[in-house]
Amino acid sequence: MHRRLATGLTAAALAVTTVAATAAAADAAPADKAQVLASWTQTSASSHNAWTAARANKSAWSAYGFDWTTDYCSSSPDNPFGFPFSTSCARHDFGYRNYKDAGTFSANKSRLDSAFYEDLKRVCAGYGGATKTACTSTAWTYYQAVKVLG
């Protein structure tokens, strides 16, 4: 009697453990999440373009559990003087939020801020003359604000 009860309890415990492990595996993000995050938060135009494409198709990346929320440029204008900085601010928010979630924000903040500045400068590259100078000066101000205030 005790042997049957022990066997039954062992089988039940094994079944519960298997179900719990399977559920945990199903909820876990893919193993390459950190690499994908890093690839989307570099200073290069190709990194920016890859993130922009992923943002346009967030559902394809849902298994990764990325935080796509943004307040854009926070309390600063999203399009100061008509310069469209909102996408640059959204990518910066993406990096901040996801590295904070990963617990590796401090190690990545400087690069995220540099990527933000490069994104802003790419916006400004579309202008010429005094307009480009004004855009670049505004980009520098936004960069300094995130660098210092985070």
Side-chain angles (χ1 to χ4, degrees):
M1 166 96 172
H2 290 299
R3 189 176 293 177
R4 272 191 253 151
L5 180 59
T7 303
L9 289 175
T10 302
L14 182 59
V16 168
T17 303
T18 302
V19 169
T22 302
D27 290 342
D32 66 338
K33 181 176 181 175
Q35 289 81 10
V36 172
L37 178 57
S39 75
W40 289 346
T41 55
Q42 299 300 313
T43 59
S44 66
S46 61
S47 175
H48 176 269
N49 294 339
W51 175 83
T52 301
R55 184 177 184 227
N57 190 18
K58 294 177 204 169
S59 62
W61 300 95
S62 62
Y64 287 79
F66 288 123
D67 182 349
W68 295 94
T69 63
T70 183
D71 64 357
Y72 295 96
C73 298
S74 302
S75 57
S76 299
D78 296 338
N79 300 297
F81 310 111
F83 304 124
F85 287 175
S86 60
T87 301
S88 302
C89 291
R91 186 164 91 114
H92 189 247
D93 285 349
F94 177 85
Y96 267 43
R97 284 171 170 79
N98 286 285
Y99 278 108
K100 284 178 181 178
D101 287 349
T104 57
F105 175 71
S106 296
N108 292 284
K109 182 187 183 305
S110 178
R111 188 187 76 254
L112 296 172
D113 293 345
S114 293
F116 176 60
Y117 186 44
E118 293 303 316
D119 288 350
L120 295 174
K121 290 192 301 185
R122 277 188 280 278
V123 169
C124 297
Y127 298 97
T131 304
K132 182 175 184 175
T133 302
C135 183
T136 303
S137 294
T138 305
W140 175 253
T141 301
Y142 273 54
Y143 168 63
Q144 290 301 311
V146 299
K147 186 175 163 188
V148 173
L149 304 173

